[in-house]
């Protein structure tokens, strides 16, 4: 698993050593930037989607804990890198993933990165599962993953879903639309058992919103908002089975 990271360290030599170690021994870590002080670090944190921050404790005009206070809700993991062991308790209270002492041990660095990788892998697996309605424990709901969490939708509000390469456009009542970085196949499986039918390679429709079927080899359906969608011949039987 790839980890997007930054290095926050006031000493250039220390940054270079850590960066070289990471490039050589931890190839799954991508360094997106470096910061020598709190202000530079805040800019990097606010402009990047980070998985990990390597964080020195003592810096000019503040320390690592001042930085974390300014960030507020932290959605990345932190690995403290410091020459001082008396900050360990404070780091633990700040929910640090790992505490590395300088000079950096390569073995300890690898162990720290492996630990964060395991944490993020489990988080991503859980986020993937949360989309499936059966895991929500709430009937008639589906969750749409977002950068800061997820949005809950009523499945009854969905008119149809349209494939857009590896994305899906979800069309809702009241002319709303959501673009989600999941395939249409993913939504077809997630909504399995609900009133949704795959009518075309590019379309999944809420059959409760179908107001008319037009005959043809595959035919077409008209939805409650007036949208007409072609039905593939191979999908026709499945669609009509909802109306028996």
């Amino acid at each position: 698993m790839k980890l997007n990271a930054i290095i926050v360290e006031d000493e250039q030599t220390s940054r270079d050593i850590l960066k070289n170690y990471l490039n050589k021994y931890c190839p799954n870590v991508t360094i997106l930037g470096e910061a020598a002080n709190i202000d530079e670090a805040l800019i990097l944190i606010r402009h990047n989607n980070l998985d990990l921050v390597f964080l020195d404790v003592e810096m000019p005009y503040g320390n690592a804990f001042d930085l974390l206070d300014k960030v507020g809700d932290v959605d990345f993991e932190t690995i403290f890198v410091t020459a001082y062991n008396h900050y360990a308790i404070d780091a633990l209270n700040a929910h640090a993933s790992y505490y590395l002492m300088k000079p950096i041990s390569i073995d300890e660095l690898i162990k720290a990165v492996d630990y964060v990788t395991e944490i993020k892998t489990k988080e991503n697996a859980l986020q993937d599962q949360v989309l499936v309605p059966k895991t929500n424990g709430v009937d008639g709901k589906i969750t749409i993953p977002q950068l800061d969490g997820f949005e809950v939708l009523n499945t009854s509000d969905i008119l149809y879903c349209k494939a857009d390469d590896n994305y899906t456009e979800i069309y809702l009542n009241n002319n709303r639309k959501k673009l989600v970085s999941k395939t249409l196949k993913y939504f077809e499986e997630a909504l399995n058992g609900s009133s949704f039918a795959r009518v075309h390679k590019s379309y999944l429709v809420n059959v409760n919103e179908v107001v008319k079927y037009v005959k043809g080899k595959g035919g077409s359906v008209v939805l409650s908002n007036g949208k007409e969608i072609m039905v593939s011949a191979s999908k026709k039987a499945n669609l009509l089975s909802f109306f028996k």
Side-chain angles (χ1 to χ4, degrees), residues 28-57:
N28 66 315
V29 176
T30 300
I31 301 300
L32 299 183
E34 303 173 30
N37 55 56
I38 288 177
D39 291 338
E40 291 178 2
L42 279 173
I43 293 172
L44 288 175
I45 290 170
R46 288 170 177 167
H47 288 83
N48 291 282
N49 184 19
L50 299 175
D51 301 302
L52 174 61
V53 172
F54 292 93
L55 189 56
D56 186 19
V57 176

Short mmCIF file of all heavy atoms in Angstrom, two decimals, residues 28-57:
data_model
loop_
_atom_site.label_atom_id
_atom_site.label_comp_id
_atom_site.label_asym_id
_atom_site.label_seq_id
_atom_site.Cartn_x
_atom_site.Cartn_y
_atom_site.Cartn_z
N ASN A 28 7.25 2.12 -0.39
CA ASN A 28 5.81 2.41 -0.45
C ASN A 28 5.47 3.80 0.08
O ASN A 28 4.33 4.24 0.01
CB ASN A 28 5.00 1.36 0.32
CG ASN A 28 5.27 1.39 1.81
OD1 ASN A 28 6.43 1.47 2.23
ND2 ASN A 28 4.22 1.30 2.61
N VAL A 29 6.49 4.52 0.59
CA VAL A 29 6.27 5.88 1.10
C VAL A 29 6.66 6.89 0.03
O VAL A 29 7.78 6.88 -0.48
CB VAL A 29 7.10 6.14 2.38
CG1 VAL A 29 6.92 7.59 2.84
CG2 VAL A 29 6.68 5.18 3.48
N THR A 30 5.71 7.77 -0.31
CA THR A 30 5.97 8.85 -1.25
C THR A 30 6.02 10.17 -0.49
O THR A 30 5.03 10.55 0.16
CB THR A 30 4.85 8.94 -2.32
OG1 THR A 30 4.80 7.70 -3.04
CG2 THR A 30 5.12 10.07 -3.29
N ILE A 31 7.18 10.84 -0.53
CA ILE A 31 7.33 12.10 0.17
C ILE A 31 6.80 13.23 -0.72
O ILE A 31 7.36 13.53 -1.77
CB ILE A 31 8.81 12.37 0.54
CG1 ILE A 31 9.35 11.24 1.42
CG2 ILE A 31 8.95 13.71 1.26
CD1 ILE A 31 8.61 11.07 2.73
N LEU A 32 5.71 13.87 -0.27
CA LEU A 32 5.08 14.93 -1.06
C LEU A 32 5.67 16.30 -0.76
O LEU A 32 5.44 17.25 -1.52
CB LEU A 32 3.57 14.96 -0.78
CG LEU A 32 2.79 13.68 -1.12
CD1 LEU A 32 1.30 13.90 -0.86
CD2 LEU A 32 3.01 13.28 -2.57
N GLY A 33 6.40 16.42 0.35
CA GLY A 33 6.98 17.71 0.67
C GLY A 33 7.73 17.68 1.98
O GLY A 33 7.67 16.70 2.73
N GLU A 34 8.47 18.76 2.24
CA GLU A 34 9.23 18.90 3.48
C GLU A 34 8.94 20.27 4.10
O GLU A 34 8.69 21.24 3.38
CB GLU A 34 10.74 18.79 3.20
CG GLU A 34 11.15 17.50 2.51
CD GLU A 34 12.62 17.52 2.11
OE1 GLU A 34 13.42 18.20 2.80
OE2 GLU A 34 12.96 16.89 1.09
N ALA A 35 8.98 20.32 5.42
CA ALA A 35 8.73 21.57 6.13
C ALA A 35 9.77 21.74 7.23
O ALA A 35 10.13 20.78 7.90
CB ALA A 35 7.33 21.59 6.72
N ALA A 36 10.22 22.99 7.39
CA ALA A 36 11.22 23.28 8.41
C ALA A 36 10.63 23.93 9.65
O ALA A 36 11.31 24.12 10.65
CB ALA A 36 12.31 24.18 7.83
N ASN A 37 9.32 24.26 9.59
CA ASN A 37 8.68 24.89 10.73
C ASN A 37 7.18 24.64 10.68
O ASN A 37 6.67 24.04 9.73
CB ASN A 37 8.98 26.39 10.77
CG ASN A 37 8.61 27.08 9.47
OD1 ASN A 37 7.46 27.01 9.03
ND2 ASN A 37 9.59 27.75 8.86
N ILE A 38 6.47 25.11 11.70
CA ILE A 38 5.04 24.85 11.83
C ILE A 38 4.24 25.45 10.68
O ILE A 38 3.34 24.82 10.13
CB ILE A 38 4.53 25.39 13.18
CG1 ILE A 38 5.04 24.51 14.33
CG2 ILE A 38 3.00 25.44 13.21
CD1 ILE A 38 4.64 25.00 15.70
N ASP A 39 4.58 26.70 10.30
CA ASP A 39 3.81 27.36 9.25
C ASP A 39 3.92 26.61 7.92
O ASP A 39 2.92 26.42 7.21
CB ASP A 39 4.28 28.81 9.07
CG ASP A 39 3.91 29.69 10.26
OD1 ASP A 39 2.96 29.31 10.99
OD2 ASP A 39 4.56 30.72 10.46
N GLU A 40 5.12 26.18 7.57
CA GLU A 40 5.31 25.41 6.34
C GLU A 40 4.58 24.08 6.41
O GLU A 40 3.99 23.62 5.42
CB GLU A 40 6.81 25.18 6.09
CG GLU A 40 7.59 26.43 5.74
CD GLU A 40 9.07 26.16 5.56
OE1 GLU A 40 9.49 24.99 5.67
OE2 GLU A 40 9.83 27.13 5.32
N ALA A 41 4.61 23.47 7.58
CA ALA A 41 3.94 22.18 7.76
C ALA A 41 2.43 22.32 7.60
O ALA A 41 1.78 21.47 6.96
CB ALA A 41 4.27 21.60 9.13
N LEU A 42 1.86 23.37 8.15
CA LEU A 42 0.41 23.58 8.05
C LEU A 42 -0.02 23.72 6.59
O LEU A 42 -1.06 23.18 6.18
CB LEU A 42 0.00 24.83 8.82
CG LEU A 42 -0.17 24.67 10.33
CD1 LEU A 42 -0.40 26.02 10.98
CD2 LEU A 42 -1.33 23.73 10.64
N ILE A 43 0.76 24.42 5.79
CA ILE A 43 0.43 24.57 4.37
C ILE A 43 0.42 23.22 3.67
O ILE A 43 -0.50 22.90 2.91
CB ILE A 43 1.44 25.53 3.70
CG1 ILE A 43 1.26 26.95 4.23
CG2 ILE A 43 1.26 25.51 2.17
CD1 ILE A 43 2.34 27.93 3.77
N LEU A 44 1.44 22.41 3.93
CA LEU A 44 1.51 21.08 3.30
C LEU A 44 0.36 20.19 3.74
O LEU A 44 -0.24 19.48 2.93
CB LEU A 44 2.84 20.42 3.65
CG LEU A 44 4.10 20.97 2.98
CD1 LEU A 44 5.34 20.29 3.53
CD2 LEU A 44 4.02 20.81 1.47
N ILE A 45 0.04 20.24 5.02
CA ILE A 45 -1.03 19.40 5.55
C ILE A 45 -2.38 19.79 4.96
O ILE A 45 -3.20 18.93 4.63
CB ILE A 45 -1.06 19.48 7.10
CG1 ILE A 45 0.16 18.76 7.68
CG2 ILE A 45 -2.35 18.87 7.66
CD1 ILE A 45 0.36 18.98 9.17
N ARG A 46 -2.61 21.08 4.80
CA ARG A 46 -3.91 21.55 4.33
C ARG A 46 -4.08 21.43 2.82
O ARG A 46 -5.20 21.49 2.32
CB ARG A 46 -4.11 23.01 4.77
CG ARG A 46 -4.36 23.12 6.27
CD ARG A 46 -4.32 24.55 6.76
NE ARG A 46 -4.63 24.62 8.19
CZ ARG A 46 -4.43 25.69 8.95
NH1 ARG A 46 -3.90 26.79 8.42
NH2 ARG A 46 -4.75 25.66 10.23
N HIS A 47 -2.97 21.23 2.10
CA HIS A 47 -3.05 21.16 0.65
C HIS A 47 -2.76 19.77 0.09
O HIS A 47 -2.69 19.59 -1.14
CB HIS A 47 -2.09 22.17 0.01
CG HIS A 47 -2.53 23.59 0.15
ND1 HIS A 47 -2.29 24.32 1.30
CD2 HIS A 47 -3.21 24.42 -0.68
CE1 HIS A 47 -2.79 25.55 1.15
NE2 HIS A 47 -3.36 25.63 -0.02
N ASN A 48 -2.61 18.79 0.96
CA ASN A 48 -2.34 17.43 0.51
C ASN A 48 -3.20 16.44 1.28
O ASN A 48 -3.55 16.67 2.43
CB ASN A 48 -0.86 17.07 0.71
CG ASN A 48 0.06 17.83 -0.21
OD1 ASN A 48 0.19 17.52 -1.39
ND2 ASN A 48 0.73 18.85 0.34
N ASN A 49 -3.53 15.35 0.61
CA ASN A 49 -4.24 14.25 1.26
C ASN A 49 -3.19 13.29 1.81
O ASN A 49 -2.66 12.46 1.07
CB ASN A 49 -5.16 13.56 0.25
CG ASN A 49 -6.00 12.47 0.90
OD1 ASN A 49 -6.17 12.45 2.12
ND2 ASN A 49 -6.50 11.56 0.10
N LEU A 50 -2.89 13.41 3.08
CA LEU A 50 -1.75 12.71 3.68
C LEU A 50 -2.18 11.46 4.44
O LEU A 50 -3.24 11.43 5.07
CB LEU A 50 -1.00 13.63 4.62
CG LEU A 50 -0.38 14.89 4.01
CD1 LEU A 50 0.24 15.77 5.09
CD2 LEU A 50 0.67 14.52 2.96
N ASP A 51 -1.31 10.47 4.38
CA ASP A 51 -1.47 9.26 5.20
C ASP A 51 -0.57 9.31 6.42
O ASP A 51 -0.90 8.72 7.46
CB ASP A 51 -1.13 8.01 4.38
CG ASP A 51 -2.00 7.85 3.16
OD1 ASP A 51 -3.22 7.79 3.33
OD2 ASP A 51 -1.46 7.80 2.04
N LEU A 52 0.55 10.03 6.29
CA LEU A 52 1.59 9.94 7.32
C LEU A 52 2.39 11.22 7.39
O LEU A 52 2.71 11.83 6.36
CB LEU A 52 2.51 8.76 6.98
CG LEU A 52 3.76 8.54 7.82
CD1 LEU A 52 3.42 8.28 9.28
CD2 LEU A 52 4.57 7.36 7.24
N VAL A 53 2.74 11.63 8.63
CA VAL A 53 3.63 12.77 8.84
C VAL A 53 4.77 12.33 9.75
O VAL A 53 4.53 11.81 10.85
CB VAL A 53 2.88 13.95 9.49
CG1 VAL A 53 3.87 15.06 9.88
CG2 VAL A 53 1.83 14.50 8.53
N PHE A 54 6.00 12.50 9.26
CA PHE A 54 7.19 12.30 10.09
C PHE A 54 7.46 13.63 10.79
O PHE A 54 7.68 14.65 10.14
CB PHE A 54 8.39 11.89 9.23
CG PHE A 54 8.26 10.52 8.62
CD1 PHE A 54 7.73 10.37 7.35
CD2 PHE A 54 8.66 9.39 9.32
CE1 PHE A 54 7.60 9.11 6.78
CE2 PHE A 54 8.55 8.13 8.76
CZ PHE A 54 8.01 7.99 7.49
N LEU A 55 7.45 13.60 12.10
CA LEU A 55 7.36 14.84 12.86
C LEU A 55 8.45 14.95 13.92
O LEU A 55 8.51 14.16 14.87
CB LEU A 55 5.97 14.91 13.50
CG LEU A 55 5.53 16.19 14.19
CD1 LEU A 55 5.62 17.38 13.24
CD2 LEU A 55 4.10 16.02 14.69
N ASP A 56 9.33 15.94 13.75
CA ASP A 56 10.29 16.28 14.80
C ASP A 56 9.55 17.02 15.90
O ASP A 56 8.54 17.69 15.64
CB ASP A 56 11.40 17.15 14.21
CG ASP A 56 12.51 17.42 15.21
OD1 ASP A 56 12.61 16.68 16.20
OD2 ASP A 56 13.26 18.38 15.00
N VAL A 57 10.03 16.94 17.12
CA VAL A 57 9.32 17.57 18.24
C VAL A 57 9.68 19.04 18.36
O VAL A 57 8.81 19.92 18.36
CB VAL A 57 9.60 16.84 19.56
CG1 VAL A 57 8.94 17.58 20.71
CG2 VAL A 57 9.10 15.41 19.50
#
